[in-house]
Amino acid sequence: AAELEAWRVPGEPILELCCGAGNVTAALAPPRVAVDANPALIGMWRAAQAGWLPPPRNEITKELHAEYKKKPLDFADPMAVFLLFGCSFRGVWRGGFAHDGAKQDFVDCSRRALVKKIERVKNGTEFVLASFADVTMPGPGRVVYADPPYAGTCDDGIGSRDGLVPKFDHAAFWTQMTAWSKTGVFVFVSEESAPGDWVRFRSWQTKRTLGNHGTNDKNGPRKLESLWVHRDSKMAASASEEIGMAG
C-alpha cells in the first residue's frame, strides 16, 4: 500500500479494481473506491458498512457451512460470502470446510481478519459493483491498483457456476490497463506475470500456503509476485529489480 500512496495526489481516492477480499483496500488510507464484479462480495462489504459483522467462532460450524453450500445464493446475505469464501479450504468458492490445522484455526483466523478489515473500510470507502471493463477511465495522475485473478488458477472466473462472474478476460484487461497508462493514469497491477511492455515495479517472495490464511512453515515453498507498471509510465523510472520478502 505504501508504494501506491507515494504516487497519490493528496485527497484523491485510489481506485482499486478487483478488490475481492479487501486486503489492499483495508491497507490504503481513505478516500478509496473499491470495485469488484462479484455481487455477493460487494453485497457483503456494503452490509459490513451498515453494521454487519461475522458471528462468534462457536457459531461457525461445518454444518452451517454445508447448509449454505446447498441453498440458493442470496446476494443480500453477507454470511453466504463469509462462509463460502472465508470458511472454505484455501478460500475456494464453495470448497470444503476449512478444518483446523495443527497450529491454527483457519476459520477463526478468517473471522478475525475480516473484522479488522471491516473496521478499516467501513468509513471512507465506496464499494462499486462493476467489471473492470465498465469502469470509466480516470484522469491523468490518478492512482489505479488492480489485483486480477491469477491466470489459470481456480480463482479465474470465481463463482461462475452460480452465475456470479464470467470467466475473467485477461487479454481485455491488459489492453485496457495499457490504454489507461498511456493517457497518464498511474496504473499498478499485481500479478505473477505481465505482457512484454510492462515492467516489474516491485517484486517479493511470498509463501505458498496450504490453508486459508497462512502457514507456520517458514521453510515452505515460495512464489514470486510483482507489482507491474507500463514501461512508458512515470513510475517505470523507479522500477526495481530487487526482490523483497513477504509473509
Side-chain angles (χ1 to χ4, degrees):
E3 301 288 359
L4 306 176
E5 297 285 2
W7 291 88
R8 183 211 290 251
V9 174
E12 280 285 324
I14 288 180
L15 172 61
E16 181 185 2
L17 305 178
C18 310
C19 67
N23 295 324
V24 173
T25 313
L28 294 170
R32 55 214 158 198
V33 177
V35 179
D36 202 280
N38 190 320
L41 271 173
I42 293 297
M44 184 199 73
W45 287 121
R46 289 174 175 172
Q49 288 182 312
W52 175 83
L53 287 172
R57 173 63 181 94
N58 64 341
E59 297 179 16
I60 305 169
T61 63
K62 181 179 179 181
E63 291 72 25
L64 182 63
H65 183 267
E67 176 186 334
Y68 268 82
K69 284 180 67 175
K70 293 178 182 177
K71 69 181 187 179
L73 184 65
D74 180 1
F75 294 160
D77 184 0
M79 276 293 291
V81 169
F82 169 63
L83 287 168
L84 300 181
F85 270 135
C87 298
S88 293
F89 182 63
R90 293 188 178 179
V92 174
W93 178 249
R94 289 188 184 274
F97 187 65
H99 292 285
D100 296 350
K103 299 180 180 180
Q104 200 167 23
D105 181 341
F106 294 123
V107 170
D108 190 49
C109 286
S110 178
R111 180 193 175 279
R112 289 187 286 108
L114 180 57
V115 169
K116 289 179 181 179
K117 286 185 284 189
I118 288 172
E119 180 62 29
R120 290 190 57 85
V121 306
K122 66 182 181 181
N123 297 311
T125 310
E126 179 185 1
F127 285 100
V128 177
L129 174 61
S131 164
F132 70 85
D134 298 324
V135 177
T136 302
M137 182 175 66
R142 178 83 174 273
V143 174
V144 173
Y145 169 76
D147 187 7
Y150 292 144
T153 68
C154 60
D155 292 335
D156 190 6
I158 203 159
S160 58
R161 67 180 176 183
D162 293 294
L164 289 181
V165 186
K167 187 172 179 62
F168 195 84
D169 190 335
H170 292 273
F173 168 80
W174 284 109
T175 296
Q176 182 171 320
M177 294 302 99
T178 297
W180 284 15
S181 294
K182 289 184 175 181
T183 67
V185 181
F186 294 167
V187 178
F188 298 83
V189 179
S190 177
E191 250 288 19
E192 292 182 333
S193 61
D197 54 348
W198 287 71
V199 297
R200 284 187 171 91
F201 182 72
R202 298 288 185 272
S203 296
W204 56 95
Q205 294 279 356
T206 61
K207 284 183 288 190
R208 290 188 180 275
T209 63
L210 299 178
N212 288 21
H213 302 282
T215 174
N216 291 319
D217 182 7
K218 296 180 180 180
N219 299 315
R222 291 178 177 266
K223 62 180 178 179
L224 181 67
E225 296 186 1
S226 298
L227 194 61
W228 300 85
V229 297
H230 193 268
R231 67 186 177 194
D232 296 333
S233 68
K234 289 185 178 180
M235 299 86 70
S238 302
S240 172
E241 293 296 325
E242 183 178 345
I243 297 176
M245 300 293 284

